[in-house]
Amino acid sequence: MSRSCKAALLASAFGAMLAWTAPVLADGPSSVGRPASPAELKAWDIDVGPDFSGLPKGSGTVSRGMEIWEEKCASCHGTFGESNSVFNPLVGGTTAEDIKTGHVAALKRTDFPARTTFMKVASVSTLYDYIRRAMPWNAPKSLSDDDVYAVLAYLLNLAEIVPDDFTLTDATIRDVQQRMPNRNGMTTAHALWPGLDFPGMAAKPDTANAVCMTNCKPKAELASQLPEHARGAHGNIAEQNRVIGPVRGQRTGPDTAAAEAPSPALALAEKSGCLSCHAVDTRIVGPSYSEIAARYRGKNNAEALVSKVKAGGEGSWGAVPMPPQDDLSIDDAKTLVAWILSGAPQK
Amino acid sequence: MSKLRPTGEATPRTDPLVPGADALSGRLRRAPENFLTPDEIGQVGKGRRDFLRASFLAAAGATAAATLGGRNAAAATADAAGDPDILNPTPWGSSLGQPVAANPYGLPSKHERGLVRRQSPGLTQVAAASVSFAPLQGLFGIITPSGLHFERHHQGWQDIDPTRHRLMINGSRPEFVKTPRVYTMDDIMRLPPVSRMHFIECGANTGMEWGNVAVPTVQYTHGMLSCSEFTGVPLRTLLEYCGADLKAAKFILAEGGDGSSMTRTIPIELVLSGEVMVAYGQNGEMLRPENGYPLRLVVPGVQGVSWVKWLRRIEVGDRPYAAKDEAVHYIDLMPDGQHRQYTSIQECKSVITSPSGGQTLLDKGFFTISGLAWSGRGAIKRVDVSVDGGINWTQATLQTPVLSKCLTRFTLPWNWDGRPALLQSRAMDETGFVQPAYGQLRAVRGTRSIYHNNAIQTWQVAESGDVNNVQIL
């Protein structure tokens, strides 16, 4: 490469840089800020619209999706996307007939309380966009575009929208849209959008109460009251109200103000995110602390458990893996293990 | 639990509370009640007042013993010449107080520790994708203290380094924003600011109550509601600085910088109105991390989910985006099985916050009914209050200021005669829209909508003084 050629290249590279780094000297507030570079735009402009604008090229198979799913998704969503232990179920409640009509029939049934993601979502683009920007929950944006295709292919397969041997690509996703079970299930015929650009938008609100002042109805009948079991379900309401004023809170539970402060180890477990998957007495995603204590207590292997907590692993308690806890210090891990082995006391 | 709960079949109360203490009556009641044990408060509910005098004396003795030490406590109290907190030195009136800056960032009184935001047990399984409710039962006026502002996070909250935070503005197609721009916080805070007070309400506020009464207090029925003064730059101004094509634009997308990078579609009409704001200030200080520090979108009148926190990007486009929180959640299921999509406006609504569910009136006689009204379509025009479950209504007084898309405080004096009452409030906004009754709302939307429940709330006052959550159609 000739020297002049190099210089020209440098100059043009510098020029390109100038285009987005040099301060704009014009007066006035429109000079504040700077142009975005193409690389910056590419890094952040990741939204995918229902018309598939913004969809990256790529592909993923159902079987590859299953691998990723079991490693990174099943611990929260269940092996078949059916779990409701951490989040609402993703899959279930749709039928082959729904895929034909584009309306999920179960949504009309008042005796069918479940509302899974696939019962609701009309646009498959939403799922690609969301998985890419926000999943896995504890490591968002860590999946490659192809991995997102694969995970979505697996989900679509679980929902019986695509066959086992399906490959989801930026082309085939358009066919999938035509099989989304609730693709015709949305309406914009309402008055709750503060803009002008949706079909069917109603000009008027859907209720029309009036200002009546006297003898507005013959009597006031109670349609519903707080069930007795719900009275104490939100702790002691006496402690959720002021100690002065015209009213006091009703006493609906034991006083906690005088009780001992919660155990620092419990607070540490909460802060470290342990309690998303573990509880003291019940299984959530991982084993309960009482199960763990029962298995390991008195076996003098606290040190091994500390390593296990740090490194994660699977197999000891079933197939769902525990992720490594890189952010947890050794000291904190020791505190937690000692606390768990002592029965995970609340105070 | 029933032992703790005064029943509604209590004998009617007798007055005066402290027989023979006419000269001091009324004023004297407050002090001893501060010493009431929970059981004694329960007895108030059962109509028993006679013990109050004894309690008063015991309290006087206890205070005296505590504050007078070796002095003759009995002498100070035996004749009940008056309120021991007047007659005797108080600890705070007879000692040196704390120095300045003992709390460099001030804290509420320790006596206010009950008024905090709280979760509703069982509502969600994971606290990082959950809600905490503002304690509306104890708040005054219209501004929510920043530390009590309700929380809704989809993937946990972050405390972003403001020196590393950026806002990008671009177009879904190059022609919408010919030169996409990047702003640092330094940049945004150089621009001409505006400060405005607005309410923010989660679309799912009161969502647990669609089918029936589910939760006991106004904190849980209506506590996904807050109101602040926000400071920032109108989004319209920023888009104009960027040279965005505001004629071609129909929608914008707002995107967060946290793990969820949450997105929502906003209509360009609302942006063009100048109301939508890119805000960094909240109640005179920076936004709290839980509320989007250092930058959030403020979308007056629209449900909270659109007020994207930790705002990192605005895209100008001509099509709606069907983001997760407008295609899977925040869609309103109707009885015919269809979901209303892009429901956004928080329609006219009100609730009485005092007295409210879970509280007990300490005595019959004079009270001030007080509550909040708001509308996503503008200013509150009037609020009516009923104490008989909606048969008859009285117009309440609106406290100033009365601002567009902002909480408005209403009050109404009320003499409680000790008989059962059913308290309701009904708001009307400047468009003439009147808040619906449950029956009217359910007739159109059924009971499974989850979102946008703006029905009239009823609090039942029992003879015991207990206030409970009930519904009237």
Side-chain angles (χ1 to χ4, degrees):
Chain A
M1 189 182 291
S2 79
R3 194 172 170 156
S4 62
C5 197
K6 249 188 199 166
L9 267 179
L10 274 173
S12 73
F14 187 58
M17 213 164 75
L18 263 186
W20 57 274
T21 57
V24 180
L25 298 176
D27 289 329
S30 56
S31 65
V32 175
R34 63 164 175 83
S37 77
E40 289 172 339
L41 271 175
K42 186 164 183 281
W44 275 13
D45 185 2
I46 58 169
D47 58 275
V48 178
D51 58 357
F52 301 108
S53 57
L55 184 70
K57 289 203 179 308
S59 68
T61 61
V62 170
S63 58
R64 168 69 184 138
M66 187 167 78
E67 289 170 22
I68 302 167
W69 186 266
E70 287 180 355
E71 188 190 342
K72 297 182 173 173
C73 316
S75 55
C76 285
H77 293 295
T79 307
F80 303 105
E82 82 300 346
S83 172
N84 64 357
S85 62
V86 184
F87 298 107
N88 288 337
L90 302 176
V91 174
T94 61
T95 64
E97 183 64 19
D98 297 340
I99 291 176
K100 278 187 204 153
T101 63
H103 290 280
V104 171
L107 288 172
K108 289 185 193 168
R109 286 171 50 186
T110 51
D111 62 341
F112 195 92
R115 275 181 252 173
T116 68
T117 294
F118 275 97
M119 288 172 69
K120 296 186 285 183
V121 68
S123 39
V124 68
S125 64
T126 303
L127 303 177
Y128 189 95
D129 175 277
Y130 179 66
I131 295 167
R132 182 160 71 145
R133 71 174 58 248
M135 289 292 114
W137 206 53
N138 56 356
K141 304 176 191 70
S142 62
L143 298 177
S144 70
D145 290 347
D146 282 345
D147 283 353
V148 176
Y149 276 109
V151 167
L152 181 51
Y154 180 63
L155 267 178
L156 291 163
N157 178 252
L158 289 176
E160 298 175 349
I161 296 167
V162 304
D164 295 350
D165 60 356
F166 191 74
T167 302
L168 184 69
T169 71
D170 49 290
T172 59
I173 197 170
R174 289 157 208 270
D175 307 328
V176 170
Q177 176 59 40
Q178 298 314 311
R179 293 177 54 78
M180 290 295 281
N182 203 39
R183 65 186 174 278
N184 299 320
M186 298 286 171
T187 173
T188 50
H190 57 76
L192 293 184
W193 176 249
L196 299 170
D197 297 299
F198 282 133
M201 280 181 48
K204 283 190 178 168
D206 58 2
T207 61
N209 201 1
V211 176
C212 167
M213 297 305 286
T214 50
N215 295 318
C216 301
K217 55 187 175 186
K219 57 179 184 171
E221 270 181 87
L222 296 193
S224 175
Q225 303 185 60
L226 188 68
E228 187 60 31
H229 67 81
R231 286 181 56 83
H234 285 73
N236 183 6
I237 294 168
E239 295 180 328
Q240 302 175 22
N241 278 272
R242 198 159 272 128
V243 297
I244 49 169
V247 296
R248 295 290 182 279
Q250 296 165 21
R251 190 160 188 266
T252 54
D255 293 332
T256 56
E260 292 170 72
S263 132
L266 175 65
L268 177 65
E270 175 133 41
K271 186 181 113 207
S272 308
C274 312
L275 305 184
S276 299
C277 297
H278 299 282
V280 175
D281 291 320
T282 53
R283 233 168 219 247
I284 306 179
V285 175
S288 74
Y289 288 142
S290 45
E291 284 177 278
I292 298 171
R295 184 184 288 186
Y296 295 109
R297 190 177 291 133
K299 294 194 177 152
N300 199 22
N301 51 5
E303 206 126 297
L305 284 176
V306 168
S307 319
K308 262 189 140 160
V309 168
K310 282 286 294 164
E314 65 179 288
S316 309
W317 298 94
V320 176
M322 166 152 158
Q325 304 296 317
D326 297 333
D327 295 337
L328 191 69
S329 75
I330 291 284
D331 282 347
D332 283 351
K334 282 182 181 163
T335 304
L336 288 171
V337 165
W339 172 70
I340 292 163
L341 293 180
S342 71
Q346 303 284 305
K347 286 166 188 167
Chain B
M1 202 59 60
S2 60
K3 259 166 73 179
L4 301 174
R5 181 188 182 187
T7 62
E9 293 88 51
T11 49
R13 297 171 183 205
T14 51
D15 268 341
L17 180 59
V18 184
D22 289 347
L24 298 166
S25 71
R27 297 300 91 205
L28 266 185
R29 292 176 193 171
R30 292 285 176 250
E33 278 157 359
N34 288 338
F35 298 99
L36 294 190
T37 65
D39 284 345
E40 287 169 332
I41 289 181
Q43 290 179 49
V44 172
K46 291 183 179 121
R48 276 204 60 212
R49 299 283 167 69
D50 52 332
F51 72 92
L52 281 178
R53 186 174 175 83
S55 163
F56 170 90
L57 292 172
T63 308
T67 56
L68 296 181
R71 290 196 229 167
N72 188 342
T77 60
D79 61 1
D83 188 334
D85 281 327
I86 296 173
L87 298 179
N88 302 323
T90 54
W92 39 90
S94 54
S95 61
L96 176 62
Q98 302 284 320
V100 297
N103 293 324
Y105 194 105
L107 295 167
S109 162
K110 65 184 178 188
H111 304 292
E112 295 292 312
R113 63 177 168 251
L115 281 301
V116 292
R117 46 192 181 199
R118 295 174 188 272
Q119 296 187 70
S120 180
L123 181 61
T124 57
Q125 295 95 324
V126 192
S130 190
V131 173
S132 74
F133 298 82
L136 302 183
Q137 69 275 20
L139 301 187
F140 313 116
I142 58 174
I143 293 294
T144 310
S146 297
L148 297 180
H149 192 296
F150 85 88
E151 295 173 279
R152 170 74 173 110
H153 312 307
H154 293 245
Q155 215 149 333
W157 61 272
Q158 303 280 354
D159 195 355
I160 288 178
D161 177 350
T163 67
R164 297 178 59 193
H165 189 68
R166 306 287 182 264
L167 175 67
M168 181 184 288
I169 296 182
N170 70 301
S172 66
R173 283 188 273 149
E175 59 267 32
F176 292 150
V177 180
K178 289 207 176 74
T179 312
R181 285 183 89 75
V182 170
Y183 295 89
T184 62
M185 289 306 298
D186 296 347
D187 295 331
I188 290 167
M189 294 168 80
R190 284 169 72 183
L191 296 171
V194 295
S195 295
R196 295 178 190 144
M197 292 195 266
H198 290 295
F199 80 81
I200 171 172
E201 182 185 21
C202 177
N205 201 24
T206 325
M208 289 183 277
E209 303 265 308
W210 261 109
N212 48 264
V213 172
V215 291
T217 77
V218 72
Q219 178 157 21
Y220 308 105
T221 58
H222 289 75
M224 286 194 276
L225 171 74
S226 295
C227 184
S228 303
E229 183 196 62
F230 294 99
T231 299
V233 183
L235 178 58
R236 178 186 176 135
T237 311
L238 264 182
L239 293 181
E240 284 169 353
Y241 292 161
C242 292
D245 184 348
L246 297 179
K247 290 212 173 75
K250 288 187 173 161
F251 302 93
I252 64 144
L253 181 76
E255 179 180 85
D258 62 316
S260 77
S261 291
M262 215 186 64
T263 45
R264 277 287 300 196
T265 305
I266 316 282
I268 196 69
E269 291 82 3
L270 214 53
V271 177
L272 294 179
S273 77
E275 289 181 285
V276 178
M277 193 196 294
V278 171
Y280 45 83
Q282 180 181 354
N283 297 332
E285 59 183 2
M286 286 293 289
L287 293 163
R288 295 289 171 94
E290 298 95 318
N291 303 126
Y293 181 94
L295 199 65
R296 85 173 305 168
L297 201 65
V298 167
V299 192
V302 166
Q303 63 186 355
V305 68
S306 292
W307 298 41
V308 172
K309 296 188 281 190
W310 312 290
L311 182 71
R312 82 167 189 188
R313 192 168 68 94
I314 296 285
E315 179 173 294
V316 177
D318 61 355
R319 270 163 289 194
Y321 289 82
K324 183 262 286 176
D325 289 302
E326 54 198 22
V328 179
H329 305 299
Y330 302 89
I331 51 176
D332 307 15
L333 181 59
M334 302 299 284
D336 66 359
Q338 294 290 99
H339 281 94
R340 286 181 172 176
Q341 194 175 18
Y342 300 110
T343 47
S344 299
I345 294 173
Q346 295 299 110
E347 290 188 310
C348 188
K349 185 169 172 181
S350 68
V351 66
I352 293 169
T353 56
S354 180
S356 60
Q359 297 180 331
T360 300
L361 303 180
L362 285 180
D363 195 4
K364 58 187 182 182
F366 183 79
F367 283 89
T368 303
I369 293 172
S370 172
L372 294 165
W374 63 100
S375 168
R377 289 201 168 92
I380 289 297
K381 192 78 179 170
R382 69 183 283 163
V383 177
D384 301 306
V385 169
S386 172
V387 297
D388 61 10
I391 300 169
N392 298 290
W393 298 80
T394 308
Q395 191 168 356
T397 301
L398 303 186
Q399 283 185 0
T400 54
V402 178
L403 301 171
S404 179
K405 305 180 185 179
C406 181
L407 292 188
T408 296
R409 174 69 63 177
F410 64 87
T411 61
L412 185 76
W414 178 47
N415 266 303
W416 183 45
D417 58 9
R419 289 185 298 184
L422 293 163
L423 309 185
Q424 296 186 326
S425 64
R426 179 186 70 195
M428 182 176 95
D429 67 19
E430 62 179 312
T431 70
F433 176 88
V434 180
Q435 181 183 7
Y438 261 104
Q440 293 171 317
L441 200 57
R442 285 185 188 150
V444 188
R445 302 193 200 164
T447 58
R448 299 181 298 148
S449 162
I450 300 178
Y451 303 99
H452 302 108
N453 177 357
N454 65 327
I456 289 172
Q457 169 70 42
T458 308
W459 304 122
Q460 178 188 50
V461 182
E463 284 181 342
S464 64
D466 275 5
V467 186
N468 292 308
N469 186 7
V470 299
Q471 288 181 353
I472 292 177
L473 298 182

